[in-house]
Amino acid sequence: MNKTELIRKVVEQTNLNKKDIQNALSGILEVLTENLSKGEKIQIPNVGTFDVKVRSERKGRNPQTGEEIIIPETKYPAFSSSDVLKRTVNNVSVLEVLNQNKEISKEEENVLNYVIEKTKRNELTQIELKNISSDLELSFEEVKRIIGDLMKKKVLDTMVYYGDIDVVHLQMKYHVYL
């Protein structure tokens, strides 16, 4: 993908105009270049880190003459991807991430899978507990308990109305895996 294709894709996904996206991307690239030239690190959550590395002075050979030469120290830009980006590139799901860390039980996995599927299909970003209860054929109290456990583990968030949990949604940090 080149710069033009990137801009077109961002325009499609955001419904912002092309000129604004071009200006924003140019500004981002200018700031990135400027900060790297100063030796500063740039961290973008869920994407990675841009940094400046140093290649030490070393001995080499002139390929034309075979003569030994000294290659001076040089700086070069480097990028290291975040775990989130690596997992996304490898198609690792939210459930796989959580299961790798043994963070969720089977019943929590079933409820979370339901929330993920509804979120993926953009049917709903806020899922009502009564729908989870009826669709998964679990008691409302059981769903409340499971949701509470998933909230403690910071996988789900909620909007609380009248002091009781009515709806839940997947935490934003996990949306990158959808």
Side-chain angles (χ1 to χ4, degrees), residues 1-177:
M1 179 180 286
N2 62 32
K3 186 177 178 182
T4 303
E5 292 166 331
L6 176 64
I7 290 168
R8 183 182 48 76
K9 195 81 163 160
V10 173
V11 167
E12 288 171 9
Q13 287 191 349
T14 63
N15 293 322
L16 296 172
N17 72 51
K18 185 178 177 180
K19 193 67 179 165
D20 288 345
I21 299 299
Q22 287 173 325
N23 289 339
L25 182 57
S26 292
I28 290 167
L29 295 174
E30 283 177 32
V31 169
L32 183 73
T33 304
E34 183 181 309
N35 286 350
L36 287 173
S37 70
K38 294 177 188 174
E40 296 175 2
K41 182 188 297 191
I42 296 103
Q43 294 178 307
I44 303 171
N46 299 333
V47 175
T49 302
F50 293 90
D51 203 358
V52 176
K53 303 282 184 184
V54 176
R55 190 172 288 125
S56 300
E57 180 181 280
R58 62 196 188 281
K59 291 180 183 178
R61 293 213 176 269
N62 180 327
Q64 293 174 333
T65 64
E67 168 187 355
E68 191 173 279
I69 58 172
I70 300 295
I71 302 169
E73 175 180 281
T74 57
K75 294 179 184 176
Y76 62 96
F79 175 77
S80 59
S81 58
S82 71
D83 287 343
V84 170
L85 182 59
K86 289 175 192 170
R87 289 179 184 137
T88 302
V89 167
N90 288 298
N91 295 316
V92 176
S93 73
V94 177
L95 291 173
E96 289 174 300
V97 171
L98 296 168
N99 281 330
Q100 284 172 354
N101 299 328
K102 305 279 189 248
E103 290 183 34
I104 61 172
S105 69
K106 201 66 179 162
E107 61 184 4
E108 291 169 339
E109 183 177 334
N110 291 337
V111 170
L112 186 55
N113 216 4
Y114 177 88
V115 172
I116 290 167
E117 286 308 310
K118 291 286 185 188
T119 305
K120 252 191 213 177
R121 288 186 256 151
N122 286 327
E123 289 179 19
L124 302 164
T125 52
Q126 300 282 331
I127 293 105
E128 291 186 44
L129 270 61
K130 66 181 180 184
N131 292 341
I132 298 171
S133 177
S134 66
D135 290 351
L136 295 181
E137 298 177 357
L138 297 169
S139 74
F140 188 78
E141 290 305 314
E142 195 173 3
V143 170
K144 264 176 73 170
R145 180 187 56 75
I146 295 167
I147 294 295
D149 291 344
L150 287 168
M151 287 172 57
K152 286 178 194 164
K153 294 175 181 180
K154 299 187 184 320
V155 177
L156 296 178
D157 275 333
T158 186
M159 302 291 284
V160 177
Y161 304 106
Y162 309 112
D164 208 359
I165 299 170
D166 291 324
V167 296
V168 294
H169 59 91
L170 192 61
Q171 277 209 350
M172 287 308 293
K173 67 181 177 183
Y174 292 111
H175 278 248
V176 294
Y177 298 111

